Amino acid sequence: MTALPDKTDKKLGLVIDLDTCVGCHGCVTACKGWNTQHYGAPLSDTDPYGADPGGTFLNRVFSYEAQAEGRPAQTIHMPRSCLHCDDAPCVTVCPTGASYKRAEDGIVLVNEDRCIGCGLCAWACPYGARELDREAGIMKKCTLCVDRIYNENLPEEDRVPACVRTCPAGARHFGDLGDPDSDVSKLVAKRGGYDLMPDLGTKPVNKYLPPRPKDTLDTAPLTAVADEPKGFLGWLDKALEKL
Amino acid sequence: MHPAPSVIIFTTLSGLGFGLFFWLGLGVPDVQGGSAFAFFFIAYVLSCAGLLASTFHLGNKKNAIYALSQWRTSWLSREGVAAIVTLFLFALIAVPRIFLGAEMVISGVIGSVLALITVVTTSMIYTQLKTIPRWNQPLTPVLFLLHALGGGALLAGEVKIAGWLLLALTLALFAAWRVGDRRALARGTTGDATGLAHLGAVRMLESGHTARNYVVDEMVYRVGRKHAEKLRWIALALAGALPAAILLLTPPGHITAFVALALHLLGVVIGRWLFFAEAEHVVGLYHGA
Amino acid sequence: MPRHRDKLSCKTNQRNGAFTEMTKPEHLRIETSPPVSDEIRKTTCYMCACRCGINVHMKDGQVAYIEGNRDHPVNNGVLCGKGSAGIMQHYAPSRLRAPLKRVGPRGSGEFEEISWDEALEIAAGWLAPLRQTDPSRMAFFTGRDQSQSFTSWFAQAYGTPNYAAHGGFCSVNMAAAGIYTMGGAFWEFGQPDWDRTKLFMLFGVAEDHDSNPIKIGLGKLKERGVRVIGVNPIRSGYNAIADEWVGITPGTDGLFILALVHELLRAGKVDLGYLSRYTNAGFIVNEEPNSPEKGLFLRGENGKPQVICRATGQLADYDRPDVMPNLAASYHDAGQAHRTVFQLLAERYLSDDYAPDRVAERTGISADRIKSIAAELARVAFEEEIVLDQPWTDWKGQTHDKMIGRPVSFHAMRGISAHSNGFQTCRALHLLQILLGSVEVPGGFRFKPPYPKPPEAHPKPHAGVTPGQPLDGPHLGYPMGPEHLLLDGDGRPKRIDKAFTWENPMSAHGLMHMVISNAHAGDPYKIDTLFMYMANMAWNSSMNSSEVIRMLTDTDDAGDYVIPHIIYSDAYSSEMVAYADLILPDTTYLERHDCISLLDRPICEADAAADAIRWPVVEPDRDVRGFQTVLIQLGAKLGLPGFVTDDGSPKFRDYADYMVNHERRPGVGPLAGWRGTDGEGRGRGEPNPSQIDRYIENGGFWIDHIPDEARFYKPWNKAYQEWAVDRGIFDAEAPYVFNLYVEPMRKFQLAAEGHGDIQPPDHLRARIAETMDPLPIWYPPFEDQSVDPDEYPIHALTQRPMHMYHSWGSQNAWLRQITGKNALYLPTDIWIEHGFKDGDFATVTSAHGSITVPVAHHAALNPQTVWTWNAIGKRKGAWALDKDAPEATEGFLLNHLIHELLPPKGDGLRWANSDPVTGQAAWFDLRVKIEKAEPKPAESQPAHPPIASPVGQGPNVVARKI
Ligand SMILES: Nc1nc2c(c(=O)[nH]1)N[C@H]1C(S)=C(S)[C@@H](COP(=O)(O)OP(=O)(O)OC[C@H]3O[C@@H](n4cnc5c(=O)[nH]c(N)nc54)[C@H](O)[C@@H]3O)O[C@H]1N2
Ligand SMILES: Nc1nc2c(c(=O)[nH]1)N[C@H]1C(S)=C(S)[C@@H](COP(=O)(O)OP(=O)(O)OC[C@H]3O[C@@H](n4cnc5c(=O)[nH]c(N)nc54)[C@H](O)[C@@H]3O)O[C@H]1N2
Ligand code: SF4
Ligand code: SF4
Ligand code: SF4
Ligand code: SF4
Ligand code: SF4
Ligand SMILES: [Mo]
């Protein structure tokens, strides 16, 4: 049933640091690579070498620019994937029960054996996190790498999502956001992590860390050791003495 | 939103079909035998064709049966259940009416209520979406109901009632657009969506992929404002105002009714196209749209 | 794991029957521990030059999934966007299938598949006679070559002087400026001390070769909240996360850096102790006017540069253990005062010409900002000093109980080097680093073995040709004066690319970008066979691609091609393939042996020496061969020394055999790990037959950590020098001091002033005198001087997308969805001024040509700068893409606007669009003007006709799960 669990034991999710993400798309292809080989149908690409290619990705990196009056413009890279919302509208709209949120860890998944590919869940998601795979006709979304994070065939340290494992800049963090003592929760508290579009009431689990303030350098200018070049030589002499 | 033909056909035809069922359930027009058969046949053809059309865009039809399972939470599931129950019940009404000449008053009324419920469930599929503020308003079910009732009445030959209902539809359409425009505007900005508004005016620089993708194709479709404005007036005139005027101001007759119906249908299709094409999904904010 | 309402819903389900049962998430049994793969094979990525370690997951004998190798020193397990998409490169439909012989005209793309025997026969048929008559008529140039120590060895054995890799058009300014100044530059030579630095400044980098290490490093800085200053006309990528963005006007970094130097000197914020001990700041410069020695160092009897000893006040050899030079002293001789390098330097940069207020307008950076940055550099360097409790002993035998660090660090790349003033700008940056005392110290910039290595320790260039014999020495090197130029008796260039001539005396990497145009012009001479490897010269790696295409297809009066034979090795159906006569199809990086060697460009870290291999984790499914193996076979067929045994039979079976058994010097070979029959040898030892197996067992690489006391101060650290000798990095300890003042440059200047026997042609005298300044200078980029900046007011740049490697990415179904077309990004003022809207096209015109291309708005830009992504535009028909692929219809290259020569100046000469010191291609000097294109064209212009695909086209759908 597509009712949401009243509460989940854990709130597993991602914390993405917008002050650190360089927009390299590493997480994009790592995600595509893992999820093509694992959970459910492969993520397909249509017309892959043609004039109008398209394909399914569970994670895409956008770039924005922000400019305040009289300030230099800023560029921000923002990866977006499913936020594993607590109050996930994509789940409740699903007519088949294919979309569901796991009570044990809060991961929102699509049961591909039930999905009819109606697309309604994608309409209901504010974040563009769901993509209908054109080849399989099935709704695809970030699985939070549910088949990695508990995978006993992987060494302990590798039991993290593929995108987190690969991020070269370390801009992606994974953990239990329901536990205030977890590293991710502490990071969110320290850096003012925020929700995307909180007004919509989806209660996203994933958090974004805002860019730190930019272009603030204001060190006072250096003072000269002497007023004229000759004086410089005098200073040099004295300074060398002290060595 | 991408105005997919399947959903336009679905909402248009099934709306008309269940609208007609509504009137038939109430015994309007009061017919039996062959003509009853004809009316029920039309209602079934329309509603079933609509429902069938709605499955065209399913990526994976083989699981369709599960679509009825989530009636407790999902409006789409409810719609499916309501439609099937309604169609089933009307079979129980239609057969005795056509072949036995039975009145079937009580079950007829129940059927009519169910037909309306079906229309409401259809409308709720769209109305419930907070992601599309233009739809997420009380006028959306009203519009669906007026479409169904007005169109149904027209099909049922109740031209005066149809006239009034279509007049109401005209007003409702106008109001829905006004309210919708306000709501769409209140969606916010790219800055709000990204949570970066405190840094200044925010715009999208690169959308991540230059290639097409499902979300953009499906959700970020936007019809040009000028174009939409024109189409709105056309839809308003064709679906509502003109047929209402014809029905209310000219003497009843087959030809006028037919002209009104033809105009109405065309108007509904244009209106439905606009309903989707104009619907601004909040995800568009991430794409600077 | 506890589940809510588990029991209850279970019961409900049983009541409701199977229908809801199955749909209840609580009852779904999803497999959370699926097998990941059958086997992991560890090798090295080659989606770019960074050379990260990869775990290739195999299923049913096929490549299923690629992830980073956590143990690998380069990437610690992470991968970039390209690396994770490597699987799609491996399975790309554009892969060549078999050797090809051209059957249609050049450029048509029409080929016939032939056997390897025939291919080698044809190649040898062209090469063997040339070797016996005139080996210089064969030119062998390799592009993105990661086996240069091997390819150069082949070329040397063949005997042609015409060999180089791509460095000349890439970043030789950076490399050469670094070697001449301090014995190493950025990227492969060294790295910031990411773990300790407290202020990081990045100049002109979009991605760089050290892709993942830079990202990992930036991540560490961000974690520690360290301030990052990005100097770049464009704020994207790394610069997007920089705390401070300095949106400099292109080509003016030298001025900005020297203004920082001005501020630091003025305030006395330089590390005098460091300068005295570790640099030539105290060397006495001959100031006798008109002397043929003017500007050279005063030297003692033994030829050693002289300093004035602080204790005695007397001249002394600079390296005497008891001598501390007095930077403030001067030496008086026959009424002439001779001052120290430091005084000359202070005099120059304290001048008002370098005052922040003077340079602000030109650089586009406010004087206050410059002063503030200088002050911050000084503050962090001197007030946040790092002290490591690590005793060490210097080269003079003095022991120090601590290691002192100035925790400011820098990194720079092509943004400063790909300009015609790039060499001097890179020098200026190194000067700044050294004045702050932040090179090879904790928190600063650190070398990676085999660097540091001073210019004297590098080879000199050679071009001594004897038919039928090997060349008289290595092709490339570091000239120390005019005597090392490669000119014949008449002063004509000996090399086809005119490297090491007066036009670019210190062209340490050669000039690959000049080869085709020089060969076409027959200047300095004609060649017969052009042999290229891994370089897309008919498209994105050439300046003026359309013209290069014409040169490649041009015929002489007899109807023969002006460049008679072209042999090319590629793995894919690139644009260049269509222009060759014989194609030697390479394997993919997952199918061959490769050697990332200490003899070449290894994968070392500041704390360790390391090298790596690739090995065939899958066998090729087609008739392709690793190019290095092909060279081994070709070399043997030609009977080249080193490639054959005494009886003339092949010495090596294949490249793997060479990797293990070749010895460059006794006991030193391509691979440093597990040498010797016992496999215990590190760096030195006889060949070990099971060496490759040991590498494979270890994940494809070998690493050897530097002892703690040897980790910093490497050029002057006794323990490091000893360790390096022990590992075979050099054969004798070679401590040295940094060259604030580069004396060899002064020697070229002296020649230009008329001194010495080897004289430049008159038309070059003034330029050499100006640009070969032994202390860093700034001059405007040449294009600014030869085109009218009012007519062409806008600077046009390219940047590498982090997820694309030059032209290779487009054949990758995943990557091309990320960037399948490019737009020209315009700053706000230009956007508004021309009334551009999304979807518009602009005509962009330079002094050489014009393109019409889509535009987009980007506010975070220097207001005079426009830019686009590099190498996204593709030729129709190439790369097994549809001819209407967006890469070909919308994508475009800026290369059509850039010429390898500057526009005529009316002096009857065409000056090269290159740095006058090194010959580095000045890609980023480009100036343009912009107009809105109305009506907008159907396609980006110029649109070239399609070429035929020798490999057909890719499939319509990819959904590959093993
Ligand atoms: N406008 C502009 N132009 C530029 C630059 C710029 O900044 N702006 N940058 C310049 C610089 S720095 C450089 S280094 C050049 C780079 O230019 P190139 O050296 O030409 O680099 P690629 O385009 O990557 O081309 C390399 C060729 O190697 C082939 N290849 C790939 N893998 C293999 C393999 O495994 N084996 C073999 N044999 N071949 C393979 C590819 O198919 C391709 O044809 O571009 C230069 N061009
Ligand atoms: N992903 C990926 N990685 C690559 C490559 C690739 O193709 N793709 N290519 C490899 C190769 S061959 C090379 S040479 C390296 C090059 O790596 P980079 O040096 O990062 O080369 P570019 O991408 O050309 O970036 C040049 C940067 O310099 C800036 N710039 C231009 N002019 C100026 C200037 O006057 N002053 C300053 N301060 N900045 C300026 C540009 O805005 C741009 O950001 O990358 C290597 N790594
Ligand atoms: S992000 Fe979208 S898909 Fe993911 S849980 Fe929230 S609403 Fe559902
Ligand atoms: S597409 Fe699949 S998961 Fe989404 S609502 Fe429809 S059935 Fe449910
Ligand atoms: S958690 Fe897994 S599925 Fe989700 S974005 Fe990351 S890699 Fe993709
Ligand atoms: S891998 Fe990391 S740095 Fe790269 S785009 Fe993804 S989040 Fe950003
Ligand atoms: S940086 Fe990326 S492409 Fe380059 S070697 Fe590393 S993983 Fe491969
Ligand atoms: Mo390069």
Side-chain angles (χ1 to χ4, degrees), chain C residues 514-579:
Chain C
M514 300 306 293
V515 173
I516 292 173
S517 46
N518 290 356
H520 175 262
D523 173 20
Y525 46 79
K526 289 218 177 287
I527 61 166
D528 175 89
T529 300
L530 178 60
F531 187 2
M532 296 223 177
Y533 161 58
M534 230 191 209
N536 203 9
M537 295 304 289
W539 200 244
N540 51 287
S541 53
S542 280
M543 292 179 159
N544 201 356
S545 314
S546 307
E547 185 59 15
V548 168
I549 287 173
R550 193 188 67 77
M551 293 173 184
L552 291 170
T553 51
D554 196 19
T555 51
D556 59 19
D557 296 339
D560 297 324
Y561 286 119
V562 173
I563 303 174
H565 299 124
I566 301 179
I567 308 176
Y568 180 50
S569 165
D570 202 308
Y572 305 98
S573 172
S574 68
E575 283 87 353
M576 183 61 205
V577 165
Y579 293 91

Side-chain angles (χ1 to χ4, degrees), chain C residues 900-954:
Chain C
E900 72 275 10
L901 299 175
L902 292 169
K905 275 204 284 196
D907 54 6
L909 298 162
R910 286 299 292 275
W911 297 77
N913 183 16
S914 304
D915 185 280
V917 181
T918 62
Q920 147 110 52
W923 299 97
F924 296 156
D925 280 4
L926 178 63
R927 277 180 169 271
V928 299
K929 61 183 167 188
I930 283 179
E931 282 168 316
K932 193 161 167 175
E934 280 173 319
K936 70 179 184 194
E939 297 184 347
S940 287
Q941 301 294 323
H944 289 81
I947 43 185
S949 168
V951 292
Q953 227 122 76

Side-chain angles (χ1 to χ4, degrees), chain A residues 9 38 40 48 65 75 158 215, chain C residues 2 70 235 243 816 859 961:
Chain A
D9 301 343
H38 295 91
E65 69 179 343
T75 310
D158 277 347
D215 306 307
Chain C
R70 280 198 188 269
R235 192 176 213 175
D243 301 277
R816 74 182 287 251
K961 180 165 179 167

